[in-house]
Amino acid sequence: MDCLFCNVINKKEDAYVIFEDESHVAIMDKYPIQKGHSLVMPKMHHEKITDMTDVAVAKLFSKVPVVARAIIAATGADGFNIGQNNGRSANQIIPHVHVHIIPRYGQAGNLWTKRMISNEDDLAALAKKIKNKIKSG
Ligand SMILES: [Zn+2]
């Protein structure tokens, strides 16, 4: 099975990792809707949250505020959306469960607006900043 996110988790594919514990990873989205757009995912491969145990889903979502707090601290965003898509018709592009954290800055936005191609240097610098915020709690 060739899964982009499993490859990221197994370090076969590069990504800007901002959080990792024994069963979860958070990375910067390479095609962000807004600056700081990140993805939190379980290391275990499941396509949809309905394929996971209730406990595993609860654990996954318990990591969301941890990562979101660091994104807010690093970016100064004044709000954020959480998105979790299941199935192609729901806009799920990578078939490995992930939770989107999309920071918002001042103006109201639709959840899925146009994505940007991020500058690698900016992404690396921001990833480092968020990572430090998670460490410092
Ligand atoms: Zn996977």
Side-chain angles (χ1 to χ4, degrees), residues 3 6 45 96:
C3 167
C6 282
H45 181 91
H96 180 128

Side-chain angles (χ1 to χ4, degrees), residues 28-29 32-39 67-68 70-82 100-107 109-111 113 116 126 130:
M28 307 295 291
D29 195 309
I33 288 171
Q34 288 285 357
K35 178 184 163 191
H37 181 173
S38 302
L39 309 172
V67 177
I71 294 170
I72 298 296
T75 61
D78 47 24
F80 62 99
N81 290 105
I82 293 168
H100 294 263
I101 300 174
I102 306 166
R104 298 296 183 181
Y105 303 91
Q107 83 287 19
N110 291 320
L111 187 52
T113 44
M116 307 174 264
L126 186 55
I130 296 170

Side-chain angles (χ1 to χ4, degrees), residues 1 3-7 9 43-46 95-96:
M1 178 190 52
C3 167
L4 177 64
F5 287 167
C6 282
N7 288 342
I9 290 156
K43 286 185 176 174
M44 182 113 39
H45 181 91
H46 295 287
H96 180 128

